Amino acid sequence: MDNFRKEFPIFKKQKQLIYLDSAATSLKPKTMIQAINDYNQKYSINSHSESSSPLFKKVWTTIQETREIIAQKIKGKAEETSFLPSTTHALNFLALSLKNHLQKGDRICLTYLEHSSNLHPWQAIAKEKKVIVDFLPLNKEFTIDIDKLDKYIDKKTKIVSFVHVSNSLGVINPAAEITKKIKEINPECLVILDACQSIIHVPINVTEWNIDALALSGHKVYGPTGIGVLWIKKELGEKLPHLLWGGGKKIGPTEEITNQNLPLSQKMEVGTLPLAEIFGLKAAFEFLNNFATKEIYKYENDLRNYTLQKLKKIKNITIYNQNLVSANIITFNLASYHAHDIVDYLGKNNILIRAGNFCCPYLDKLISANSALRVSFGIYNNYNDIDKLVSHLQKIIQNPRILLPF
């Protein structure tokens, strides 16, 4: 995979860059960048401007092809796939759409692994509807404890929403087994999957797993910012209310609404679509499809194991997930040094990792620390990146004064 580093133009512009923050956002391959440029330079028309023009046909076809390539990736249907500005937007939209699905005393189940985007929207509607929010138990592997689900899921549990791959520890929830158990206990319970981190690293089959909805982000799959995807099982999507109006939507709020012949995306997509981003997202998934998911996982896991061996030699380091099965993430702290001070120093030396709670509000419940350091890998990383990171961490241990801002 090292040969693919050349596919990322940023390394030609930033020759000294060591980028180890792919869980936050992935870098962009030149084919994706070119696809966005192609839309802007060659086709730049509105998808609502319907005609027999070759320009319109190209734009319209690309929208449908992008739905299809994403649907194939998650084993869903293109007609169930909609474009929204981000995963955060998608999960907020979904929570608001399901508000009337809930009554006082019902239950929503989440986990302490959740990103705030899959936490706060559900807490907000729970507060409004006087619904109980429970947190599913985690086992020693920090994944959902399937054996204890029957103590948490009951007939009052209407929604379970959980992260597939954690952005804080990288642990992988066995979504198929979890969903199977939930549906055995309560077949009417909706299961929602945050696939932001998993879409690259873990195979997904929403149909086989009986998932009801899934959200993912463009900029975490080597695609553009400003676009997310919401997949909703057709049976559920048809029951959702119309919350958004105008801008190309074929009906208005004063008209009689029927779902016959009305695309499901009409409930989610209003206004002009982010067309350049859709062109880019299609190219990103085409780029991603050059690799088997297992191939990406193995390569990044080899990098992770190499990094762990190097990091464990550093004095007074705490690695929170070294003994956990993790997709592409290492989370750690250096005793006596604040994570943000370390990230600041590394940044000055062109090494980019992440510090903080990674938008995981309950991180302290997982690792007993409010802030940590996170290294996350992409297919463009190599062993040289790791050696340089570890070298600079050793310099901090040897001479802590280098962290001073003056």
Side-chain angles (χ1 to χ4, degrees), residues 192-243:
I192 297 159
L193 195 64
D194 174 359
C196 255
Q197 300 293 334
S198 62
I199 185 67
I200 288 181
H201 309 288
V202 184
I204 295 173
N205 192 322
V206 293
T207 302
E208 219 173 74
W209 298 354
N210 200 14
I211 300 291
D212 294 290
L214 173 149
L216 63 89
S217 174
H219 70 96
K220 288 180 170 50
V221 293
Y222 306 109
T225 57
I227 188 168
V229 173
L230 180 60
W231 172 88
I232 301 179
K233 186 185 293 184
K234 185 177 181 180
E235 293 87 338
L236 173 61
E238 289 178 343
K239 297 175 183 177
L240 297 183
H242 288 263
L243 297 181

Side-chain angles (χ1 to χ4, degrees), residues 24-297:
T25 195
S26 55
L27 299 180
K28 319 305 178 195
K30 58 187 177 184
T31 52
M32 194 283 292
I33 297 170
Q34 185 57 54
I36 290 176
N37 289 340
D38 282 349
Y39 168 76
N40 287 320
Q41 295 175 2
K42 298 179 181 179
Y43 308 109
S44 195
I45 66 164
N46 196 308
S47 56
H48 296 154
S49 300
E50 301 178 11
S51 75
S52 297
S53 160
L55 298 182
F56 170 78
K57 289 181 179 180
K58 174 64 177 179
V59 170
W60 183 254
T61 300
T62 300
I63 293 171
Q64 308 316 315
E65 288 175 346
T66 307
R67 294 192 206 277
E68 186 62 44
I69 196 172
I70 295 168
Q72 289 174 359
K73 189 72 174 176
I74 64 173
K75 304 297 188 291
K77 297 178 181 177
E79 64 181 308
E80 300 170 323
T81 305
S82 298
F83 303 114
L84 290 165
S86 65
T87 300
T88 301
H89 189 111
L91 289 168
N92 272 273
F93 176 88
L94 189 57
L96 290 170
S97 296
L98 290 171
K99 187 167 61 172
N100 292 333
H101 182 68
L102 300 165
Q103 296 179 354
K104 182 178 180 180
D106 285 342
R107 303 172 68 205
I108 297 173
C109 287
L110 308 168
T111 81
Y112 288 131
L113 294 166
E114 302 311 314
H115 189 285
S116 58
S117 298
N118 195 36
L119 182 71
H120 293 161
W122 304 113
Q123 290 176 322
I125 64 165
K127 181 179 179 181
E128 179 182 343
K129 301 290 289 188
K130 295 181 171 53
V131 168
I132 298 166
V133 174
D134 283 329
F135 290 86
L136 298 177
L138 304 179
N139 56 29
K140 63 181 181 180
E141 300 297 326
F142 283 83
T143 59
I144 294 172
D145 194 332
I146 298 174
D147 294 334
K148 294 181 180 178
L149 282 179
D150 56 355
K151 297 178 181 178
Y152 287 79
I153 308 298
D154 58 25
K155 296 302 179 183
K156 298 289 284 183
T157 308
K158 296 298 179 67
I159 297 169
V160 176
S161 190
F162 65 92
V163 67
H164 195 189
V165 170
S166 161
N167 76 309
S168 58
L169 295 175
V171 293
I172 306 166
N173 274 312
E177 292 87 344
I178 293 167
T179 304
K180 181 181 179 182
K181 184 66 174 179
I182 292 170
K183 298 286 188 177
E184 285 175 356
I185 300 168
N186 181 359
E188 302 303 316
C189 180
L190 300 177
V191 177
I192 297 159
L193 195 64
D194 174 359
C196 255
Q197 300 293 334
S198 62
I199 185 67
I200 288 181
H201 309 288
V202 184
I204 295 173
N205 192 322
V206 293
T207 302
E208 219 173 74
W209 298 354
N210 200 14
I211 300 291
D212 294 290
L214 173 149
L216 63 89
S217 174
H219 70 96
K220 288 180 170 50
V221 293
Y222 306 109
T225 57
I227 188 168
V229 173
L230 180 60
W231 172 88
I232 301 179
K233 186 185 293 184
K234 185 177 181 180
E235 293 87 338
L236 173 61
E238 289 178 343
K239 297 175 183 177
L240 297 183
H242 288 263
L243 297 181
L244 307 175
W245 301 97
K249 192 163 187 171
K250 302 298 184 183
I251 58 172
T254 61
E255 301 173 50
E256 181 180 355
I257 298 172
T258 64
N259 287 318
Q260 293 181 344
N261 301 319
L262 186 68
L264 184 58
S265 60
Q266 282 273 302
K267 289 188 176 181
M268 276 67 80
E269 298 172 358
V270 294
T272 298
L273 287 171
L275 297 170
E277 286 77 9
I278 289 172
F279 271 65
L281 190 60
K282 177 174 180 278
F285 272 92
E286 289 172 341
F287 175 81
L288 194 59
N289 285 344
N290 287 320
F291 318 97
T293 305
K294 291 181 179 179
E295 182 183 7
I296 294 175
Y297 180 87

